[in-house]
Amino acid sequence: MTETKNKFDLVKFLTKYAMVLALVIVFFLFVFLTKGVMLSPQNMTNLLLQNGYVLVMACGMLLCILTGGNIDLSVGSVVCLVGGLAAVMVTNMHINAIVAILVGLAVGLLVGIWQGYWIGYVRIPPFITTLGGMFIFRGLGRFILDSKTVAVQDPTFLNIFTAYIQIPGLDDGNIKLSPIIVGVIVAVAIILSTIKNRKDRAKKGYRQNSAFSDFAKSGLIAALILWYCWMLSQYRGISVMLVWVVAICLIYNFITSKTAFGRYFYAVGGNEKATKLSGINTNKIYFIAYANMGLLAGLCGLLCTARVGSVNGATGTSFEMDAIGSCFIGGASAYGGSGTVGGVVIGALLLGVINMGMSIMGLGDSWQYVIKGGVLLIAVIFDVVTSRKSGGK
């Protein structure tokens, strides 16, 4: 097939990048309303750090949603359970921090395996299974904490998740140079990757976008990364938590977009019967989706414990709603079978910008719930309407 170029379709463009445009509009709206306070280096650093748990959990929630619009309501309770267990082990029992972290991850995985078994092999509806889990694991978390707040001050535990990377000679001054160097390397890698991909597609005769479209998109992403790294360089540099979050997002983006295994989740959500007839074990796919979700919820419990420095019985409350909302706002279909990690990142950042902007303005939690609920409803309505117009489900 020879290379072809499509004419610019405004309606198609707006449909495809609706949430990206919404993020840009909302961001600059809050920049205006906060008189530029939103753009301070500290706030830009905290934007990702405060929403790191959402990004990590949303990557796992995406796999559940891909299988047919299914969700996991128990993740916030698992955060409380794992965070509480780790805090008690480190603070009250004086157990080595590394051991506590490994135990926490193992417990999260066991929770996921438990729920994945009932959902995947016994075929109990995910909503019912995880709703029960939400109450069970919240209760266990409060039992472990003895209904108290447990603080964590172990330096090893905290540094694994919340320290800032400081390279002697580069990060000694007010401007940290390591984030700038990382930003330049990543920006160059993005441009080179675009060039390579276009050459490969041209050599194979695949259809592709115009050079202007591809390089404009890559250039914009590279510019945003450079700008964000410049913001980081003016505060405290690169946080270890940011490394955790970026690593998780990159891993799951690779799995869902570059591997056959990742495509199985899309296949199950698109047509489970056809997928099963093709020889794919659909029960195993459901099982893996929820086992994976438990593991990531456990990691989030550790991340939140380290960032806040303490855990109580209310830790993790409504976290599942933020993760689910990020997926649907980011373009994951309410019917399953479609959605990307990139979209999840956009959805999480949109919620994060709303939370931060309203907090800076001094608006209460009540309005934040109203706005987030409205954005989620609009995103799902948009998905349903566009699916019907395109002949979808």
Side-chain angles (χ1 to χ4, degrees):
M1 183 184 294
T2 57
E3 179 180 346
T4 59
K5 297 181 181 179
N6 296 325
K7 292 182 178 180
F8 180 73
D9 188 330
L10 180 61
V11 175
K12 185 177 180 180
F13 175 83
L14 293 177
T15 301
K16 184 177 181 180
Y17 296 104
M19 287 303 119
V20 177
L21 295 174
L23 173 61
V24 173
I25 292 171
V26 170
F27 179 79
F28 282 105
L29 174 63
F30 278 115
V31 169
F32 173 76
L33 293 176
T34 61
K35 298 180 180 179
V37 175
M38 186 87 169
L39 285 174
S40 71
Q42 182 175 353
N43 283 332
M44 286 298 95
T45 299
N46 290 336
L47 178 61
L48 275 183
L49 299 186
Q50 290 176 356
N51 295 279
Y53 73 90
V54 180
L55 287 164
V56 172
M57 280 200 298
C59 287
M61 192 68 71
L62 176 64
L63 298 187
C64 298
I65 291 173
L66 289 177
T67 60
N70 302 306
I71 56 176
D72 188 338
L73 295 173
S74 69
V75 291
S77 298
V78 177
V79 167
C80 176
L81 172 61
V82 173
L85 179 61
V88 168
M89 290 178 68
V90 171
T91 301
N92 296 350
M93 302 173 68
H94 306 291
I95 293 175
N96 181 272
I98 303 297
V99 174
I101 290 171
L102 293 177
V103 170
L105 292 175
V107 169
L109 180 59
L110 287 174
V111 167
I113 290 173
W114 164 261
Q115 297 193 132
Y117 170 76
W118 294 112
I119 294 169
Y121 293 104
V122 184
R123 286 309 179 109
I124 306 298
F127 183 89
I128 300 301
T129 302
T130 59
L131 180 62
M134 180 175 71
F135 294 114
I136 292 170
F137 303 129
R138 177 68 64 179
L140 289 174
R142 290 181 176 179
F143 174 77
I144 290 172
L145 290 165
D146 195 23
S147 298
K148 298 176 181 178
T149 298
V150 178
V152 179
Q153 297 179 336
D154 185 277
T156 302
F157 184 91
L158 297 176
N159 288 337
I160 288 175
F161 298 109
T162 61
Y164 283 82
I165 298 173
Q166 301 289 326
I167 300 177
L170 291 178
D171 301 323
D172 297 334
N174 293 329
I175 300 296
K176 316 300 179 185
L177 297 181
S178 60
I180 299 175
I181 294 173
V182 170
V184 171
I185 292 173
V186 173
V188 171
I190 289 173
I191 300 299
L192 292 178
S193 176
T194 301
I195 295 172
K196 182 179 182 300
N197 288 337
R198 286 191 59 83
K199 286 183 177 180
D200 290 343
R201 293 181 69 85
K203 185 182 297 184
K204 296 176 182 178
Y206 292 164
R207 181 179 179 180
Q208 59 182 328
N209 298 322
S210 66
F212 174 79
S213 175
D214 283 344
F215 284 112
K217 180 180 178 180
S218 299
L220 179 59
I221 294 173
L224 287 174
I225 289 174
L226 286 171
W227 172 77
Y228 189 72
C229 288
W230 171 246
M231 291 288 106
L232 295 179
S233 71
Q234 297 180 71
Y235 183 51
R236 297 175 64 183
I238 299 174
S239 169
V240 174
M241 184 176 291
L242 180 60
V243 176
W244 277 99
V245 173
V246 172
I248 293 295
C249 290
L250 290 176
I251 289 170
Y252 281 83
N253 181 67
F254 176 79
I255 291 172
T256 55
S257 63
K258 303 295 184 181
T259 67
F261 170 72
R263 305 311 297 179
Y264 291 165
F265 295 94
Y266 291 90
V268 171
N271 191 325
E272 184 178 350
K273 290 182 179 180
T275 303
K276 195 170 185 177
L277 290 173
S278 68
I280 296 173
N281 188 339
T282 57
N283 292 345
K284 186 177 180 180
I285 297 303
Y286 281 108
F287 174 80
I288 292 175
Y290 283 89
N292 171 77
M293 185 70 258
L295 177 62
L296 290 184
L299 175 59
C300 282
L302 299 172
L303 289 171
C304 291
T305 299
R307 176 157 179 78
V308 178
S310 63
V311 187
N312 58 47
T315 298
T317 301
S318 81
F319 278 19
E320 60 276 354
M321 296 298 106
D322 287 336
I324 294 167
S326 297
C327 292
F328 287 134
I329 292 171
S333 173
Y335 302 112
S338 67
T340 64
V341 172
V344 165
V345 172
I346 296 298
L349 289 178
L350 180 56
L351 290 179
V353 167
I354 291 172
N355 288 337
M356 178 172 285
M358 297 183 77
S359 296
I360 294 173
M361 293 176 63
L363 298 178
D365 292 341
S366 301
W367 280 110
Q368 292 185 28
Y369 281 118
V370 171
I371 297 298
K372 287 194 291 186
V375 171
L376 174 59
L377 183 60
I378 291 171
V380 174
I381 292 173
F382 179 79
D383 169 62
V384 172
V385 172
T386 52
S387 294
R388 287 176 180 173
K389 287 184 177 180
S390 62
K393 299 177 182 179

